[in-house]
Amino acid sequence: MERFPQSGDFMTFVERFLSRNEPCIFSSELTSGWRARKLWQKKGRPDLEYLKKEFGDAVVSVADCSQVSFSTHPKHDMQLCDYLHYWKCMLEDKTPPTRLLYLKDWHFVREFPDYGAYQVPEYFLSDWLNEVWDIREDVHDDYRFVYMGPAGTWTPFHADVFSWSANICGRKEWLLVHAGDEMYLKDSLGCLPMDITSASLQDRSIYPHAHKGCAPIRVIQEEGEVIFVPRTIPSPLITTGLTHLVFAVMASIADCKDMDDWEGHCQQSTKQTREAKENVEEEEEEEEGKEVEEGKEVEKEVEVEVEEEEVEVEEEEEVKVEEEVKKVEKVEKEVKEEMEKEENVLLKVRHPCTQL
């Protein structure tokens, strides 16, 4: 998967990834200042004591990844303090667990709106799905979630709508299916698999077209990194390494299509993206125009300065010439006066009688 360039801006994201429906991954610098990065983990492991102290009474949804019911993991509610106790015991016990519990879909921001665990990156500020829920008064909901779980927890094969996910600690493995290839993964009854790593996909009597698609894109999301997964890119999630604790903003297509004016919201989002791009282009053109005008003004100033310098040089030359002329005139006058004196002396010598 392509990494987002360090020098990239919002338009880089729109042009290279969002508009092309391409996933990408951002470096951990994007989340380095988050409160959650500083307080929710220690040395790469979740700080279970801190989480228990701050949010232990919260009721969370937990999926049991060791069981399957109707092509998904059965879920139940429990208090966060109880889940953290389970997790702590699992980390301390080296034996394989009998149950693999995954805390998921915790509406943390909705329950703790003033905590400020993270700041939405500038690339994802146009969050129209959550904006809809924020203004609705009849339903209290959103698509901002926290996920956490030990190694081996995972989410079944699914598709999100322009989701982004930040890994607070641990490691997370993603398997992303190329857009369109999910059609090859349907079984003979037209159903998609729950687990695309299952060996049953090699059985052509069950999945007759699975061999036609490309191999999934495998991505390891490290601590602090943010991954962007565009629409129509189906994916399962698998936790690798020790543990993971993730902030995610996402919604499944199935969740969203039933909302009022779904197509209108899609069109509005596309319109906003296009307008944002046009606004940036206009700003760039204005900046270029300003730079050109500023360049012209500088050129004019330089020309004026050159002209002023030339005038000053000419004036200085004229003054010098005048001074030289005055000097010559003075010398000529002195010479003339000397010559007149000499002539008078000669006259006196020649005509001494003039003294009588």
Side-chain angles (χ1 to χ4, degrees):
M1 180 184 293
E2 187 173 354
R3 287 189 166 272
F4 189 79
Q6 293 285 351
S7 59
D9 57 10
F10 176 72
M11 287 314 304
T12 303
F13 173 67
V14 170
E15 293 173 354
R16 291 179 57 176
F17 302 103
L18 182 61
S19 62
R20 298 180 181 180
N21 236 31
E22 293 290 339
C24 66
I25 192 161
F26 297 79
S27 76
S28 59
E29 291 184 9
L30 198 62
T31 63
S32 60
W34 288 8
R35 188 179 185 186
R37 284 285 309 278
K38 298 175 180 178
L39 299 179
W40 289 26
Q41 57 90 27
K42 287 183 178 179
K43 298 179 180 180
R45 296 171 70 95
D47 190 340
L48 303 182
E49 292 302 320
Y50 176 83
L51 293 171
K52 178 181 177 181
K53 177 183 176 182
E54 295 292 325
F55 319 111
D57 293 335
V59 176
V60 296
S61 178
V62 176
D64 189 345
C65 297
S66 57
Q67 298 184 32
V68 175
S69 177
F70 297 102
S71 298
T72 190
H73 299 139
K75 296 170 67 176
H76 63 279
D77 291 340
M78 62 190 303
Q79 279 194 307
L80 178 63
C81 58
D82 295 330
Y83 179 78
L84 296 176
H85 176 72
Y86 151 80
W87 199 354
K88 181 179 180 181
C89 293
M90 186 176 177
L91 291 173
E92 294 174 350
D93 189 359
K94 304 301 180 182
T95 59
T98 55
R99 300 176 70 195
L100 198 56
L101 302 183
Y102 187 18
L103 187 158
K104 58 190 304 184
D105 302 331
W106 180 18
H107 294 266
F108 179 85
V109 174
R110 188 182 70 189
E111 295 183 29
F112 301 93
D114 299 324
Y115 181 79
Y118 68 97
Q119 293 78 45
V120 179
E122 61 175 314
Y123 313 101
F124 314 125
L125 287 176
S126 180
D127 186 9
W128 61 272
L129 283 174
N130 283 304
E131 288 170 359
V132 170
W133 292 116
D134 290 344
I135 62 175
R136 288 186 62 172
E137 297 180 356
D138 57 326
V139 180
H140 190 46
D141 206 349
D142 67 357
Y143 291 121
R144 307 178 184 97
F145 305 110
V146 168
Y147 296 77
M148 60 178 76
T153 52
W154 61 290
T155 297
F157 189 52
H158 67 285
D160 291 324
V161 181
F162 298 112
S163 71
W164 65 270
S165 175
N167 201 21
I168 302 303
C169 67
R171 308 178 78 207
K172 191 178 189 71
E173 179 181 7
W174 295 71
L175 296 177
L176 305 178
V177 174
H178 295 268
D181 278 5
E182 70 274 12
M183 303 307 297
Y184 297 130
L185 299 180
K186 290 183 177 181
D187 62 18
S188 55
L189 298 177
C191 300
L192 289 168
M194 177 181 176
D195 180 7
I196 64 171
T197 66
S198 173
S200 62
L201 266 75
Q202 306 302 318
D203 188 341
R204 295 193 181 183
S205 65
I206 302 176
Y207 296 96
H209 306 292
H211 63 285
K212 298 178 181 179
C214 298
I217 303 169
R218 181 176 179 270
V219 182
I220 300 297
Q221 184 183 12
E222 302 291 350
E223 179 179 319
E225 293 182 338
V226 176
I227 189 171
F228 166 70
V229 181
R231 60 188 176 89
T232 71
I233 303 292
S235 64
L237 309 178
I238 303 171
T239 306
T240 61
L242 294 173
T243 57
H244 81 286
L245 196 162
V246 173
F247 274 110
V249 176
M250 60 181 66
S252 70
I253 293 176
D255 290 337
C256 298
K257 279 191 173 179
D258 293 334
M259 68 191 301
D260 294 339
D261 195 20
W262 160 254
E263 294 296 335
H265 287 304
C266 290
Q267 293 174 10
Q268 181 65 20
S269 178
T270 303
K271 179 182 178 182
Q272 289 176 347
T273 300
R274 184 174 61 251
E275 289 176 347
K277 181 177 179 180
E278 291 173 351
N279 290 337
V280 170
E281 290 176 348
E282 288 178 0
E283 290 176 1
E284 290 177 348
E285 290 178 357
E286 288 179 3
E287 287 297 325
E288 290 177 358
K290 288 181 181 178
E291 290 177 358
V292 170
E293 291 299 324
E294 288 175 358
K296 291 181 178 179
E297 290 296 327
V298 170
E299 288 178 359
K300 289 180 180 179
E301 290 176 1
V302 170
E303 289 176 358
V304 170
E305 289 177 1
V306 170
E307 289 176 358
E308 289 178 351
E309 290 178 357
E310 290 176 350
V311 170
E312 289 177 0
V313 170
E314 290 176 357
E315 289 177 351
E316 290 176 359
E317 291 294 330
E318 288 178 359
V319 170
K320 288 181 180 180
V321 170
E322 289 178 359
E323 290 177 352
E324 290 296 325
V325 169
K326 288 179 179 180
K327 288 180 181 180
V328 172
E329 290 178 347
K330 183 179 180 181
V331 171
E332 289 179 346
K333 183 178 180 182
E334 291 175 352
V335 170
K336 185 176 180 180
E337 289 176 350
E338 287 296 326
M339 289 178 66
E340 289 177 351
K341 287 179 181 181
E342 290 178 0
E343 287 180 358
N344 290 333
V345 170
L346 288 173
L347 287 172
K348 289 179 180 181
V349 171
R350 289 176 183 176
H351 309 282
C353 60
T354 58
Q355 297 178 0
L356 296 178

